[in-house]
């Protein structure tokens, strides 16, 4: 959804969590209203039950963790179809998700830096944190550092400090991995509180006073839920800082270069736009 505009629009790909549908995820995140406000398109790929009984993205399977195959190739291919068929600015394409969707979004973004300019990770795990169902369970419970990333990818991370489904250590690991490809970034940390809601710690990494390249938001007292989300959707916490708005802000400060977009593409999941 978006305002009618005379110039190409940003595109945000949103990957739902386990047990969710695109419609439920859209209600809970409120991303469609933000798209109207900022002038953007939002794409909601849908995981089918035949691919995973609880509609989880298969972020923990080896065949779904790299460029050129599995779910990353399907999501990238679907994104390219929308770029080709809609008024999309190819330099401003972003991806975000919740839980399994967040883990999958991080995999897709780092596998296809020629398509995606930044990624939002809410309650997710680092790339390579697991390789099968058993290791996925261990990583979710105890945390897992995943693997080193090959290239920089601007990343904003949200995690509830009381998350009992995906250990908050995973948010810190994802931030650590996101930072490693950068030569040097300056770190700032602020503790703030939503009026009548949760306290949170925002850690940002940037060059000087410029835009941040990695942000980690730890929401005190929040569980496994989209921070600042609408209670009409599942897995939301209205009392936290607005993750959707902060992701939109972060995204729109980043874009891909023509050199990055010239990298080899992907082969061409249903979707809601």
């Amino acid at each position: 959804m978006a305002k009618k505009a005379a110039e190409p629009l940003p595109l945000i790909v949103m990957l739902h969590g386990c047990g969710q549908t695109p419609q439920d995820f859209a209600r809970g995140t409120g991303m469609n209203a933000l798209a109207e406000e900022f002038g953007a398109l939002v794409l909601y790929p849908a995981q089918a039950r035949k691919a995973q009984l609880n509609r989880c993205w298969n972020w923990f399977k080896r065949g779904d963790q790299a460029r050129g195959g599995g779910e990353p190739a399907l999501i990238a291919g679907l994104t390219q179809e929308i770029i080709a068929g809609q008024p999309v600015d190819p330099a401003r394409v972003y991806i975000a998700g919740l839980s399994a969707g967040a883990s999958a979004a991080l995999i897709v973004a780092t596998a296809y830096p020629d398509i995606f300019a930044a990624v939002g990770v809410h309650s997710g795990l680092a790339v390579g944190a697991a390789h099968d169902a058993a290791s996925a369970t261990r990583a979710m419970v105890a945390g897992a550092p995943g693997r080193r990333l090959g290239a920089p990818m601007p990343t904003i991370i949200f995690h509830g400090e009381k998350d009992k489904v995906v250990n908050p250590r995973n948010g810190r690991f994802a931030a650590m991995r996101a930072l490693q490809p950068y030569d040097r970034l300056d770190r700032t940390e602020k503790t703030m509180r939503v009026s009548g809601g949760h306290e949170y710690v925002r850690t940002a990494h940037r060059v000087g006073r410029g835009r941040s390249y990695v942000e980690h938001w730890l929401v005190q007292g929040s569980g496994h839920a989209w921070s600042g989300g609408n209670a009409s959707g599942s897995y939301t916490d209205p009392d936290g800082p607005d993750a959707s708005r902060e992701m939109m802000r972060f995204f729109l400060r980043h874009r891909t270069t023509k050199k990055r977009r010239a990298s080899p593409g992907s082969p061409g999941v249903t979707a809601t736009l």
Side-chain angles (χ1 to χ4, degrees):
M1 299 176 65
K3 293 177 180 177
K4 188 174 181 181
E7 60 183 35
L9 303 174
L11 172 65
I12 302 164
V13 180
M14 296 286 287
L15 302 183
H16 60 77
C18 295
Q20 293 183 311
T21 64
Q23 293 78 11
D24 176 28
F25 193 43
R27 285 194 303 271
T29 61
M31 192 61 81
N32 287 346
L34 282 173
E36 291 284 351
E37 179 181 342
F38 286 91
L41 292 168
V42 190
L43 174 67
Y44 297 91
Q47 177 67 298
R49 283 196 183 279
K50 65 180 180 181
Q52 211 286 334
L53 186 60
N54 201 32
R55 295 196 180 98
C56 302
W57 299 98
N58 291 300
W59 60 273
F60 53 87
K61 293 185 177 180
R62 293 189 190 277
D64 295 298
Q65 293 182 334
R67 186 185 182 100
E71 291 176 355
L74 290 173
I75 293 166
L78 181 59
T79 303
Q80 288 179 316
E81 287 182 22
I82 300 302
I83 294 170
Q86 299 290 333
V88 173
D89 180 354
R92 295 185 294 166
V93 179
Y94 314 100
I95 188 168
L98 172 65
S99 193
S103 305
L106 190 51
I107 289 169
V108 174
T110 53
Y112 292 91
D114 48 315
I115 299 177
F116 298 98
V119 58
V121 181
H122 203 310
S123 312
L125 295 93
V127 175
H131 58 270
D132 58 20
S135 58
T137 299
R138 290 194 297 271
M140 290 168 64
V141 171
R147 64 172 180 260
R148 191 181 184 96
L149 304 180
M153 172 57 61
T155 304
I156 180 169
I157 298 159
F158 275 78
H159 216 114
E161 176 256 346
K162 296 292 187 184
D163 193 332
K164 302 301 183 186
V165 178
V166 177
N167 191 309
R169 293 183 68 201
N170 287 297
R172 294 193 290 272
F173 283 136
M176 176 190 75
R177 291 304 189 191
L179 282 167
Q180 285 178 329
Y182 291 96
D183 289 334
R184 182 181 180 277
L185 296 176
D186 299 317
R187 180 181 183 273
T188 60
E189 182 178 297
K190 291 184 178 180
T191 299
M192 303 178 73
R193 179 182 293 275
V194 174
S195 179
H198 295 306
E199 184 175 275
Y200 60 92
V201 180
R202 175 196 177 208
T203 306
H205 302 265
R206 55 169 56 89
V207 177
R209 296 185 178 181
R211 62 186 174 177
S212 53
Y213 288 91
V214 178
E215 291 187 14
H216 176 255
W217 295 62
L218 183 64
V219 185
Q220 305 294 328
S222 187
H224 193 66
W226 190 271
S227 182
N230 192 311
S232 64
S234 64
Y235 300 104
T236 62
D237 184 349
D239 293 331
D242 190 339
S244 297
R245 184 171 291 275
E246 294 299 339
M247 286 186 185
M248 181 73 79
R249 168 197 56 84
F250 182 87
F251 289 161
L252 295 180
R253 300 198 72 186
H254 296 277
R255 59 180 60 218
T256 56
T257 64
K258 289 183 178 180
K259 182 177 180 180
R260 270 176 59 181
R261 295 196 301 279
S263 299
S266 68
V269 189
T270 61
T272 301
L273 182 65

